[in-house]
Amino acid sequence: MAASSKSAVVLKAVKKIAVQFCPFESNVRSTREFLLFVGSEKARSTNMNCEVITTVKHDKSEPVVDVTFVDGERLLMKGAKLTTREMLSAFQSRCTAKDPQAKAGVKK
Amino acid sequence: MQHWFYSTMTLQQDSIKTTVHVCSLTARLPAQTQSPAVSSGGRRSSECIIRAVVTSGITFFLSMMAATLCGKLLPKQGWLPVTQSVRHGSKAVTRHRKPIHILKQKLLAVTKYVPPTPVVPKGAYPSERQEVKEESGFVLLLKRELKKLFQDYKMVAVAQNCNSNAEDMRILKHRLHRHGIAVKFFPNQVMCSFLSDSVYSNMAPLFIGPTVLFVSKEPKVKEMLTSLRSSPQMTLLGACIDNTLLSAQGVVSYSKLPSVSVVQGELVSGLAMMTAHTASMLQRHPAHLSALLQQYVKQQSSEEAPKAEEAT
């Protein structure tokens, strides 16, 4: 995926990521790929305290990604009709919005 | 004695200066033509004449070339330039990409191939002809292996690994090997095409992204689950145990099932319970009667015993 290789996923402002999907459904591809990116070594190394929890269900439910940030904000992404790129861009934009604030504050 | 004088003319089309190496061409020419004619003899004359003709022809050609090309360079016959310039300037074969001449550029631009625009864009309609690609030998080999796998191994579990180092994989493989579970990798495309042909077509949507197969001859689910719990990046998606497709929760509940002998015992006892109940129901009345008679006999004997004691 060229979009994500440009900028690595920075998880510094993320507390927990809970991914749930039903693998026998046909609309889980984007959620699974999102899980791959978020659970990769590079992303994990940015924040070792961040938990990535995967739940595999079998109840024909929609795939859902629930992100809990450090400041208490929650991002809920329903991945049934979303592409991986959209999910990643939304997630990354929020991460970078929260993260450089802390970084810039520390630098100044 | 024939002295052959040769002239080498090297021409470069793109070079600015053409250099002509002339080795005493013009000076010797008249002498050559004359000498065969002077010597005469019976047999030698014909040979000399032939040679003369040939040489004169070649020299005429060369002289014509020389005249056309270096008419200005060597105006007088027999005059050789003192300095001979070495060919230099722009070359045709360069190490860098030589810029194309503007005229050539223009020509190429004008004569460029413009393909005809299709009336319908490419992806609009599906192609009429279905492309059937012949599978390579490696794919066939993999399919044969898969077939054998599904025949031999009773348990085939599918898991997705987000990221695992070689170290983690090694440890996991070792742990599973102790229980007789093998770890297999197959390309997703091959897997999907094989599954769609076989009975297990419903497993096909599981194979997205990096997947790992855990196969074992005996369905050892508990051990597998404990080993997978230790590696957090492996997510169990589903399993095919004894030709039944199970989800992740199904696998967990399968692991909680008691062993086969216990289940068989339970089944037998459950079946036997009904018949035992019927038998006891049938025998209730005679049993009751026999119990009553026994009680009566006991009472009688206990009454008689004190009477006998009183009598004595």
Side-chain angles (χ1 to χ4, degrees):
Chain A
M1 287 273 167
S4 60
S5 62
K6 274 189 224 168
S7 48
V9 186
V10 179
L11 296 173
K12 288 226 164 84
V14 178
K15 199 167 143 192
K16 192 174 98 165
I17 303 177
V19 184
Q20 68 177 55
F21 60 91
C22 169
F24 291 96
E25 294 288 310
S26 49
N27 53 3
V28 285
R29 183 175 265 265
S30 56
T31 317
R32 274 174 82 166
E33 282 172 5
F34 179 81
L35 173 67
L36 280 175
F37 282 120
V38 152
S40 66
E41 287 276 350
K42 247 200 239 176
R44 284 259 198 91
S45 60
T46 57
N47 184 358
M48 298 306 285
N49 299 328
C50 174
E51 307 163 354
V52 180
I53 301 164
T54 322
T55 325
V56 177
K57 291 190 177 173
H58 192 45
D59 48 4
K60 292 193 183 176
S61 60
E62 283 182 10
V64 166
V65 177
D66 187 1
V67 185
T68 315
F69 290 97
V70 168
D71 49 4
E73 196 187 310
R74 270 184 70 189
L75 171 66
L76 196 75
M77 289 196 276
K78 296 192 180 165
K81 304 275 183 184
L82 291 171
T83 64
T84 322
R85 270 194 203 181
E86 286 168 4
M87 290 166 84
L88 263 174
S89 65
F91 178 65
Q92 264 175 7
S93 61
R94 279 181 185 73
C95 275
T96 47
K98 289 178 198 270
D99 194 35
Q101 281 172 10
K103 270 191 185 170
V106 165
K107 275 184 190 171
K108 280 176 190 170
Chain B
M1 291 204 296
Q2 297 280 343
H3 299 283
W4 290 98
F5 297 102
Y6 65 95
S7 70
T8 56
M9 302 217 185
T10 49
L11 300 164
Q12 285 282 323
Q13 280 176 0
D14 290 339
S15 65
I16 297 166
K17 291 178 189 170
T18 57
T19 317
V20 174
H21 297 282
V22 175
C23 302
S24 62
L25 170 69
T26 49
R28 302 273 188 255
L29 279 172
Q32 222 179 356
T33 47
Q34 279 167 24
S35 52
V38 169
S39 62
S40 62
R43 226 194 297 169
R44 279 177 77 194
S45 65
S46 58
E47 289 175 7
C48 290
I49 289 162
I50 291 163
R51 274 188 202 153
V53 167
V54 170
T55 49
S56 62
I58 292 167
T59 47
F60 173 74
F61 169 67
L62 287 172
S63 67
M64 282 302 292
M65 266 174 66
T68 48
L69 289 165
C70 44
K72 283 196 181 164
L73 279 175
L74 307 167
K76 300 172 202 164
Q77 250 193 3
W79 178 81
L80 282 166
V82 175
T83 50
Q84 286 189 333
S85 53
V86 180
R87 186 174 58 244
H88 80 94
S90 59
K91 303 187 182 186
V93 180
T94 52
R95 289 184 193 181
H96 61 275
R97 283 262 155 121
K98 204 165 147 185
I100 304 174
H101 196 272
I102 185 65
L103 290 175
K104 192 172 174 184
Q105 262 182 339
K106 285 184 184 174
L107 191 71
L108 285 173
V110 165
T111 57
K112 201 166 183 181
Y113 173 65
V114 175
T117 49
V119 177
V120 179
K122 266 192 179 175
Y125 295 112
S127 60
E128 288 168 6
R129 287 171 266 154
Q130 274 184 348
E131 277 186 32
V132 180
K133 269 193 193 172
E134 210 186 83
E135 285 166 352
S136 67
F138 183 54
V139 171
L140 288 170
L141 180 80
L142 284 172
K143 285 199 172 174
R144 259 182 275 148
E145 264 200 49
L146 275 169
K147 205 170 163 187
K148 233 183 359 172
L149 196 119
F150 274 101
Q151 275 172 355
D152 294 341
Y153 293 99
K154 272 192 184 171
M155 176 179 93
V156 177
V158 182
Q160 175 175 330
N161 56 333
C162 295
N163 60 321
S164 30
N165 322 334
E167 187 68 36
D168 292 337
M169 277 312 288
R170 195 171 60 89
I171 294 169
L172 183 69
K173 271 190 188 175
H174 174 68
R175 274 211 200 107
L176 289 173
H177 186 70
R178 262 193 281 164
H179 301 295
I181 304 173
V183 180
K184 300 258 180 192
F185 298 90
F186 285 99
N188 279 348
Q189 272 186 353
V190 168
M191 196 77 205
C192 285
S193 70
F194 169 76
L195 288 175
S196 54
D197 293 331
S198 75
V199 188
Y200 313 96
S201 54
N202 289 327
M203 268 175 91
L206 289 177
F207 291 94
I208 295 173
T211 45
V212 193
L213 279 180
F214 299 115
V215 293
S216 73
K217 296 219 166 134
E218 299 299 314
K220 293 199 172 166
V221 185
K222 239 187 241 174
E223 291 89 358
M224 190 182 74
L225 284 173
T226 45
S227 325
L228 286 177
R229 220 174 285 154
S230 59
S231 58
Q233 55 263 31
M234 289 272 188
T235 335
L236 182 69
L237 299 167
C240 174
I241 303 177
D242 288 334
N243 286 339
T244 33
L245 190 56
L246 297 168
S247 68
Q249 288 148 351
V251 170
V252 169
S253 47
Y254 182 91
S255 69
K256 290 183 186 159
L257 284 177
S259 69
V260 180
S261 52
V262 170
V263 170
Q264 276 174 350
E266 274 183 17
L267 183 74
V268 164
S269 65
L271 287 172
M273 192 184 73
M274 304 298 284
T275 49
H277 192 62
T278 326
S280 68
M281 282 235 324
L282 286 172
Q283 284 180 344
R284 203 177 54 179
H285 290 292
H288 192 60
L289 182 64
S290 61
L292 283 170
L293 285 172
Q294 267 185 335
Q295 188 71 29
Y296 184 69
V297 162
K298 257 194 207 170
Q299 270 179 339
Q300 288 287 328
S301 59
S302 62
E303 275 174 18
E304 279 174 15
K307 273 186 188 172
E309 276 178 22
E310 278 176 23
T312 50

